[in-house]
Amino acid sequence: MKGNILDIPRTYTGIAEWMACMLYAIQFRPRMPMKWYIPSAGIALVVQCLFLVVTDDCPLYLWIPCMIAAAGMMLGLLLLLCDLDFLSGAYTCVRAFVLAEFTASLEWQIHCYLWPLNDGIWWQRYGLLVLVYGGIFLIMTLLERRSSPQRNRLVITGHELLVVVIMGICVFATSNLSFYFKRTPFSGQYTSEIHNIRTFVDLCGVTMLYAYHLQREQALARKEVGAMQRILENQYAQYRMSRDSIEMINRKYHDLKHQIAALRAETDADTRNQWLDEIERDISTYEAQNKTGNTVLDTLLTGKSLYCQKHGIDLTVVANGRPLLRNSTTTPIPLWQITTGSFTPCPSTCTPSTRCGA
């Protein structure tokens, strides 16, 4: 505490980094039981603070590698405690690192404002530490819970991680420019300027990362709602198709019952045989003629065949579905689009005698 007034005590930085990691760690499913979770988190706090204290006297050119190592330790803590993959852990680590930088910077700026000579009483200094750290992390906990409700899994793409890493590097470099390069047009020359630059840039970084995360979560929620809506629409379409098929079968059953009664009353053998041939032809139109080698394609085409029969459309299909067996589970989507686009306009543009081929 007797060093340069611009330098945040390394233990303060270590505590801020650990608290930022724990703020995000409690939002995800733990990787280990609580009897190991809590001791592991406590050991990580000691290691984080000890590393920063030991590297406090390193030359200036080793300061950035030491900060990178500290960020790597934060990433290791998140991956150790949480059930996250590397991309998700790195994404969360960047957000935690920037939040820790802002928290430590704000607390130390207030500290320097209250005690310019660094002569505050110990309980005042530690009371300020608890007040600022506790307030910031409490606010961020509430915001994070609102932005990610009921979600304990995080799936991050490489593109999303790259965006967040670039923002984090820009924020860190800009906020610490006055410490690393003192003679630039963008560096502060006075203590108050340096503190303001560091704190406000870190605050902007926290805001940008939170806004990006919130926008990402909202886009993901809209995507999930859209997918659920499509599932419901497909289920309703299948229900209507099943209902129409049952109605058609019931009508044919009713007609067949009357035809059988008429056949029993018919005494002429030639007329009876003629009626039997007509019944056989009607039944043959409802036989499963779609044998493409792909069960999904057969099901779709059978449903469309019933649709065409209902509207008086003669459907002819020539298809080989076996190559589709090698495709992924997303194959039914383009097949559905193809069949829907091919036959839906027919009732409004075709006559009952029109023939459709696929």
Side-chain angles (χ1 to χ4, degrees):
M1 300 292 293
K2 298 296 184 182
N4 190 347
I5 192 67
L6 292 176
D7 295 336
I8 303 173
R10 306 290 275 184
T11 53
Y12 285 22
T13 302
I15 293 173
E17 292 175 350
W18 180 84
M19 292 182 67
C21 288
M22 296 308 299
L23 182 148
Y24 291 105
I26 60 178
Q27 301 180 25
F28 303 108
R29 184 168 59 242
R31 192 183 292 272
M32 60 183 69
M34 281 297 149
K35 65 178 182 179
W36 299 110
Y37 188 97
I38 296 177
S40 299
I43 294 173
L45 172 60
V46 175
V47 172
Q48 191 82 17
C49 294
L50 184 62
F51 171 78
L52 292 175
V53 171
V54 171
T55 58
D56 190 16
D57 296 330
C58 289
L60 185 61
Y61 63 88
L62 292 179
W63 177 67
I64 291 182
C66 289
M67 296 306 296
I68 295 175
M73 295 172 65
M74 295 175 65
L75 174 60
L77 176 60
L78 289 170
L79 296 178
L80 175 66
L81 298 180
C82 308
D83 186 15
L84 296 173
D85 56 26
F86 179 79
L87 294 180
S88 301
Y91 174 91
T92 306
C93 178
V94 174
R95 299 187 65 208
F97 183 80
V98 175
L99 176 59
E101 286 285 306
F102 166 68
T103 304
S105 177
L106 178 61
E107 191 279 336
W108 192 244
Q109 183 173 359
I110 298 175
H111 176 100
C112 294
Y113 176 79
L114 296 177
W115 305 291
L117 300 179
N118 198 18
D119 55 354
I121 304 175
W122 69 268
W123 64 267
Q124 293 177 331
R125 292 188 275 107
Y126 293 131
L128 177 65
L129 177 69
V130 173
L131 180 63
V132 175
Y133 280 31
I136 291 177
F137 286 114
L138 177 61
I139 293 174
M140 287 303 301
T141 300
L142 297 176
L143 290 176
E144 290 295 333
R145 287 185 177 179
R146 292 188 60 184
S147 64
S148 304
Q150 305 298 326
R151 189 186 303 277
N152 58 6
R153 291 291 298 173
L154 185 64
V155 180
I156 298 297
T157 64
H159 174 74
E160 292 171 339
L161 176 60
L162 179 62
V163 172
V164 169
V165 168
I166 292 175
M167 286 194 291
I169 292 175
C170 292
V171 170
F172 178 77
T174 306
S175 64
N176 292 279
L177 184 64
S178 299
F179 297 91
Y180 208 77
F181 301 103
K182 298 184 180 299
R183 295 185 177 277
T184 68
F186 308 101
S187 302
Q189 302 299 324
Y190 302 99
T191 301
S192 59
E193 292 180 354
I194 296 175
H195 283 162
N196 288 334
I197 291 174
R198 178 170 60 188
T199 302
F200 287 129
V201 170
D202 288 337
L203 175 60
C204 292
V206 172
T207 304
M208 287 190 303
L209 290 173
Y210 178 78
Y212 178 80
H213 180 71
L214 184 61
Q215 184 181 24
R216 176 189 172 277
E217 290 293 318
Q218 291 175 348
L220 182 60
R222 288 194 297 268
K223 183 178 179 181
E224 291 178 351
V225 171
M228 183 62 65
Q229 183 65 27
R230 287 191 295 271
I231 292 175
L232 293 176
E233 291 175 353
N234 290 337
Q235 289 179 345
Y236 180 69
Q238 293 174 359
Y239 158 74
R240 293 187 58 183
M241 185 179 299
S242 299
R243 184 190 61 186
D244 294 342
S245 300
I246 293 173
E247 291 178 353
M248 184 180 299
I249 292 173
N250 289 336
R251 287 197 302 269
K252 293 300 179 181
Y253 169 77
H254 183 269
D255 295 341
L256 183 60
K257 183 173 65 174
H258 288 285
Q259 289 175 349
I260 292 174
L263 283 174
R264 288 177 177 175
E266 179 61 47
T267 58
D268 186 12
D270 294 336
T271 304
R272 186 186 302 111
N273 291 333
Q274 183 179 358
W275 284 0
L276 288 173
D277 292 339
E278 292 179 0
I279 294 174
E280 186 177 4
R281 283 194 300 271
D282 291 339
I283 294 175
S284 64
T285 59
Y286 295 93
E287 293 178 351
Q289 299 295 332
N290 299 307
K291 300 293 184 181
T292 65
N294 184 284
T295 56
V296 176
L297 184 58
D298 293 343
T299 303
L300 292 175
L301 292 177
T302 301
K304 289 304 176 180
S305 299
L306 296 176
Y307 178 87
C308 292
Q309 291 170 9
K310 178 180 177 181
H311 293 84
I313 301 170
D314 189 4
L315 172 65
T316 302
V317 179
V318 179
N320 181 13
R322 293 187 180 277
L324 299 176
L325 293 174
R326 295 190 296 269
N327 288 4
S328 64
T329 57
T330 59
T331 300
I333 295 178
L335 292 177
W336 177 266
Q337 293 174 349
I338 293 172
T339 54
T340 302
S342 300
F343 307 125
T344 301
C346 286
S348 60
T349 58
C350 304
T351 63
S353 60
T354 303
R355 298 178 61 88
C356 291

